[in-house]
Amino acid sequence: MSVIKYDICGQICPSTLLIALKEINDYSQQLMDGEVTLAFYTDNRDAVTTIPESAVNMGYKVNVTKKEKCYMIEISGGQK
Amino acid sequence: MIYEDEIRRLTSENEELQKKYETAIGYIRKKVDQLLTVMGTSPLKSEELDDKTLIGVDPIGIISNSFVQILKHLNRTNEKLKITNEEIKAIFESAGMGILVVDRDMRVVSYNPMLKEQFFADVSGVIGQPCYKTICNLKDHIEDCPFRKIFETGEHVQQVKWVINSRYYNVVGTPVKDDHGNITMAVLVYMDITERILAEEALRKSEERYRDLFENANDLIQCIGPDGSFLYVNRAWCETLGYSLEEVPDLTIFDIIHPECSECGSEFKNVVFGEKAGRVEAKFITRDGREIIVEGNISNILEGDRSVGTRGIFRDITEKRETDEKLLKAEKIESLGVLAGGIAHDFNNLLNAVIGNIDLALTFSNPDAEIHQRLVRAEKAALLAKDLTSQLLTFSKGGAPIKKVVSIVGLIRDSAGFAMRGANVGCEFSLPADLWRVEVDEGQISQVINNLVINAVQAMPEGGLVHVSAENIFVEGLNLQLIKEGEYVKITIKDEGVGISKENISRIFEPYFTTKQTGSGLGLATTYSIIRGHDGLIEVESNVGAGTAFYIYIPAIAGKVEGEDNIEKSRLPEAGRGKVLLMDDEEMIRETAGDMLKYMGYDVAFARDGHEAIHVYKKAMGSDCPFDVVIMDLTIPGGMGGKEAILRLLEIDPGVRAIVSSGYSSDPIMANHSQYGFAGVVAKPYKTKDLGEALKKIISEG
């Protein structure tokens, strides 16, 4: 399984959410098949809520980790 | 001009298009903002994304694609929820427990079929009804209903053995919360445990019954593990073997098996290792070292096919075994007695002729003559022989006791005193004055006391003390197989002598068994026979070096002791007158007795059997000189004996006076002659004096 990292630090909502949604849409099949994990690095506090909520609503698993200067939001294959 | 118009037109058209573009961009931004708001984020700011980039990024497309995924996920989730709902519904409908859903007012919201069956099988319209009516069958709600607390505390509630309508339930109540965490309903699950409770109760009672049987059984019950340790034992086991329950875990079977019974231990081991179980007899040893004999069954305790120990049920047969041995000994002695009695009977007839002739010869001889002395010695020897046959007869039950009520105290004291004469031992009496009366043959009981005291004296060659005591006792339980329950006088004769060994003590009552150089072996055999003849019992206890004690039990009777009848008899035969008919099949008896009668002055006629006697008597009746007395032998081999002849004579002459005579006094006629029509009795062998006294008594009474 590969991990694709996105550094979206410095960006705020809603662009952070739109970027994340676009990447999730583009990789939806790979995510569902468990071939890829997307990792978004953001320093926007709102994004820590909006991105995970949207991803969960789409059926993906989400894991949020607090890093030194930002948050890492990991999105991986959900339930089919 | 043309260009100007065209420019104006185009400018106007451009402005129109610009307006439309701006309107379209505004619309897109508005829709994007709506979508972003739905997605839970903030609206798009124009400075973040210019119009051109907005078109390029296509946020509506992005969000639309995300909605597609969201919708797909929702569909999948809905499908799962539908399945889950079906599963829950199936569980709800088919659960073996009653499920009730109530609202905050404790009104029925829903229930499953099992709950209906449990509480309101034939009732409809339950939905919306309060549960205290439908479930608890009450008119009013219960203030402290435990399930109300679910709504107060939000915690689940459990009630164990909750009784509703005489049935038992385990009930669990769980709160149901809405999206806001408010408790709107409660689910109550009712598990009917009535059958289990009843089964547990039945099991408990059954266990109690078995425990009661187990603990109150008189038999010893034990279970032993493969290593010989006791898994459990019952009360009788503890009581018999003398161990407390606390001591049992420290014991093994090998602690209670007697060392002399090594094969018993092997039997237990063999059963554990798969050999066939069955009956066993074992010797156990109690906590205080006593030996007990047990018999019973041992069998395997199985777990599957594997033996995990043995169970044993035993009965203490120690006492029974001792009694059996005594009975066996009694039977042995009695069978020997029959043999001895037969010999004594024939011997008595011979002795009657010998003693009678010597007696007559002495009468006719000069006391100073040599022949007289010889005859005296011969008579002594013959009388000793008579004593011997007398003992044999007594032993063989031949000497049926001729009983009368006597003072046993005087009899014991006189007999013991007589036996003690010349001995170098002392005698200590303990004879209470209030001893019950006994009905005994004085001579025989005297002989018993005599024998036992002589034995006691002989057991103490270095001197010592003989203890003679008597007491009133009531016998019950212990020796009932040998004597009847009732009142007895117990006589104890105890010495401090050498004692009797374990090997000999079981044989001391056998005839001709003796450990003395000069003993006949008839003393204790006769003693035994006399006591049994009195429906009594004799027992012995002895320890080598510590002395011997004999215990005699004689049946007692109520009433006052009668005075003793001591008649001093004259040594010489009484002279008489009269006519005597003597019936005996033995010619030498007829001759000797005939000479005796003639010597005393009687006229004698003879008959060889009953028929001849009746004929002679009848004939004399019609003459001037009838018979005064008839003496008849009891037993005539092959002919009519005295028993039948007296009946015939009584028919002919109700006033006939007859004496019965026999050398074999086992027949009850000898002890109870008057009941059979005889006026007197004379036992063979008899001397002239004995015969004379019997005749004189009858003639004088007549």
Coordinates of all heavy atoms in Angstrom, one line a residue, chain A residues 3 5-9 37-45 48 63-75:
Chain A
V3 N 1.4 5.5 0.2 CA 0.9 6.7 0.9 C 1.2 7.9 0.1 O 2.4 8.1 -0.2 CB 1.5 6.8 2.4 CG1 0.9 8.1 3.0 CG2 1.2 5.6 3.2
K5 N 1.2 11.9 0.0 CA 1.2 13.0 1.0 C 0.9 14.3 0.3 O 1.3 14.5 -0.8 CB 2.6 13.1 1.7 CG 2.9 11.8 2.5 CD 4.3 12.0 3.1 CE 4.6 10.7 3.9 NZ 5.9 10.7 4.5
Y6 N 0.1 15.1 1.0 CA -0.3 16.4 0.5 C 0.0 17.4 1.6 O -0.5 17.3 2.7 CB -1.7 16.5 0.2 CG -2.2 15.4 -0.9 CD1 -2.6 14.2 -0.5 CD2 -2.1 15.8 -2.2 CE1 -3.0 13.3 -1.5 CE2 -2.5 14.8 -3.2 CZ -2.9 13.6 -2.8 OH -3.3 12.7 -3.7
D7 N 0.9 18.4 1.2 CA 1.2 19.5 2.2 C 0.3 20.7 1.8 O 0.5 21.3 0.8 CB 2.6 19.9 2.1 CG 3.0 20.9 3.1 OD1 2.0 21.4 3.8 OD2 4.2 21.2 3.3
I8 N -0.8 20.9 2.6 CA -1.7 22.0 2.3 C -1.6 23.0 3.4 O -2.6 23.7 3.7 CB -3.1 21.5 2.0 CG1 -3.6 20.6 3.2 CG2 -3.2 20.8 0.7 CD1 -5.1 20.2 3.1
C9 N -0.5 23.1 4.1 CA -0.3 24.1 5.1 C -0.3 25.5 4.5 O 0.1 25.6 3.4 CB 1.1 23.9 5.8 SG 1.1 22.4 6.8
T37 N -3.2 5.1 0.7 CA -3.7 6.0 1.8 C -3.3 7.4 1.5 O -2.2 7.7 1.0 CB -3.0 5.5 3.1 OG1 -3.4 4.2 3.4 CG2 -3.3 6.5 4.2
L38 N -4.2 8.3 1.7 CA -3.9 9.7 1.4 C -3.6 10.4 2.8 O -4.4 10.2 3.7 CB -5.1 10.4 0.8 CG -5.6 9.8 -0.5 CD1 -6.8 10.6 -1.1 CD2 -4.6 9.7 -1.6
A39 N -2.5 11.2 2.8 CA -2.2 11.9 4.1 C -2.1 13.4 3.8 O -1.2 13.8 3.0 CB -0.8 11.3 4.6
F40 N -3.0 14.1 4.4 CA -3.0 15.6 4.3 C -2.4 16.2 5.5 O -2.8 15.9 6.6 CB -4.5 16.0 4.1 CG -5.1 15.5 2.8 CD1 -5.9 14.3 2.9 CD2 -5.0 16.1 1.6 CE1 -6.5 13.8 1.7 CE2 -5.6 15.6 0.5 CZ -6.3 14.5 0.5
Y41 N -1.4 17.1 5.2 CA -0.8 17.9 6.3 C -1.4 19.3 6.2 O -1.2 20.0 5.3 CB 0.7 17.9 6.1 CG 1.3 16.5 6.3 CD1 1.3 15.6 5.2 CD2 1.9 16.2 7.5 CE1 1.9 14.4 5.4 CE2 2.5 14.9 7.7 CZ 2.5 14.0 6.6 OH 3.0 12.8 6.8
T42 N -2.0 19.7 7.3 CA -2.7 21.0 7.3 C -2.5 21.7 8.7 O -2.4 21.0 9.7 CB -4.2 20.9 7.0 OG1 -4.8 22.2 7.1 CG2 -4.9 20.0 8.0
D43 N -2.4 23.0 8.6 CA -2.3 23.8 9.8 C -3.6 24.5 10.1 O -3.7 25.3 11.0 CB -1.1 24.7 9.8 CG -1.1 25.6 8.6 OD1 -2.0 25.5 7.8 OD2 -0.1 26.4 8.5
N44 N -4.6 24.2 9.2 CA -5.9 24.9 9.4 C -6.8 24.1 10.3 O -7.1 22.9 10.1 CB -6.6 25.0 8.0 CG -7.9 25.7 8.1 OD1 -9.0 25.1 7.9 ND2 -7.9 26.9 8.5
R45 N -7.2 24.7 11.4 CA -7.9 24.0 12.5 C -9.3 23.5 12.0 O -9.7 22.4 12.3 CB -8.1 25.0 13.7 CG -8.8 24.3 14.9 CD -7.8 23.3 15.5 NE -8.4 22.7 16.7 CZ -9.3 21.8 16.6 NH1 -9.8 21.3 15.4 NH2 -9.8 21.2 17.7
V48 N -9.4 20.2 10.1 CA -9.3 19.0 10.9 C -10.7 18.4 11.2 O -10.9 17.2 11.4 CB -8.6 19.2 12.2 CG1 -8.6 18.0 13.2 CG2 -7.2 19.7 12.0
N63 N -8.0 8.9 10.2 CA -7.1 9.0 11.4 C -6.5 10.4 11.5 O -5.8 10.7 10.6 CB -6.1 7.9 11.4 CG -5.4 7.8 12.7 OD1 -6.0 8.0 13.8 ND2 -4.1 7.6 12.7
V64 N -6.6 11.1 12.6 CA -6.0 12.5 12.7 C -4.9 12.4 13.7 O -5.2 11.9 14.8 CB -7.1 13.5 13.1 CG1 -6.4 14.9 13.3 CG2 -8.2 13.6 12.1
T65 N -3.7 12.9 13.3 CA -2.6 12.8 14.3 C -2.1 14.2 14.4 O -1.9 14.9 13.4 CB -1.5 11.9 13.7 OG1 -2.1 10.7 13.4 CG2 -0.4 11.7 14.8
K66 N -1.8 14.6 15.7 CA -1.2 16.0 15.9 C 0.3 15.9 15.7 O 0.9 15.1 16.4 CB -1.6 16.4 17.3 CG -1.0 17.7 17.7 CD -1.9 18.9 17.4 CE -1.4 20.2 17.9 NZ -0.2 20.7 17.3
K67 N 0.8 16.7 14.7 CA 2.2 16.8 14.5 C 2.7 18.0 15.2 O 2.0 18.8 15.8 CB 2.5 16.8 13.0 CG 2.0 15.5 12.3 CD 2.9 14.3 12.7 CE 2.5 13.1 11.9 NZ 3.3 11.9 12.3
E68 N 4.1 18.2 15.0 CA 4.7 19.4 15.7 C 4.1 20.7 15.3 O 3.7 21.5 16.2 CB 6.2 19.4 15.5 CG 6.9 20.3 16.4 CD 8.4 20.3 16.1 OE1 8.9 19.3 15.4 OE2 9.2 21.1 16.6
K69 N 3.9 20.9 14.0 CA 3.4 22.2 13.5 C 2.1 22.1 12.8 O 1.7 23.1 12.2 CB 4.5 22.9 12.7 CG 5.7 23.4 13.5 CD 6.7 24.1 12.5 CE 7.9 24.6 13.3 NZ 9.0 25.1 12.5
C70 N 1.6 21.0 12.6 CA 0.4 20.8 11.8 C -0.3 19.5 12.3 O 0.1 18.8 13.2 CB 0.7 20.8 10.3 SG 1.8 19.4 9.9
Y71 N -1.4 19.2 11.5 CA -2.1 18.0 11.8 C -1.9 17.1 10.5 O -1.8 17.6 9.4 CB -3.6 18.2 11.9 CG -3.9 19.1 13.1 CD1 -4.1 20.5 13.0 CD2 -4.1 18.5 14.4 CE1 -4.4 21.2 14.1 CE2 -4.4 19.3 15.5 CZ -4.5 20.7 15.4 OH -4.8 21.4 16.4
M72 N -1.9 15.8 10.8 CA -1.9 14.8 9.7 C -3.2 14.1 9.6 O -3.6 13.5 10.6 CB -0.7 13.8 9.8 CG -0.7 12.8 8.6 SD 0.6 11.6 8.8 CE 0.0 10.6 10.1
I73 N -3.9 14.2 8.5 CA -5.2 13.6 8.3 C -5.0 12.4 7.4 O -4.7 12.7 6.2 CB -6.3 14.5 7.8 CG1 -6.4 15.7 8.8 CG2 -7.6 13.8 7.7 CD1 -7.2 16.9 8.2
E74 N -5.1 11.1 7.9 CA -4.9 10.0 7.0 C -6.3 9.4 6.7 O -7.1 9.2 7.5 CB -4.1 8.9 7.8 CG -2.7 9.3 7.9 CD -1.9 8.2 8.7 OE1 -2.3 8.1 9.9 OE2 -1.1 7.6 8.2
I75 N -6.4 9.2 5.3 CA -7.7 8.7 4.8 C -7.4 7.4 4.1 O -6.5 7.3 3.3 CB -8.4 9.7 3.9 CG1 -8.7 10.9 4.7 CG2 -9.6 9.1 3.2 CD1 -9.1 12.1 3.9

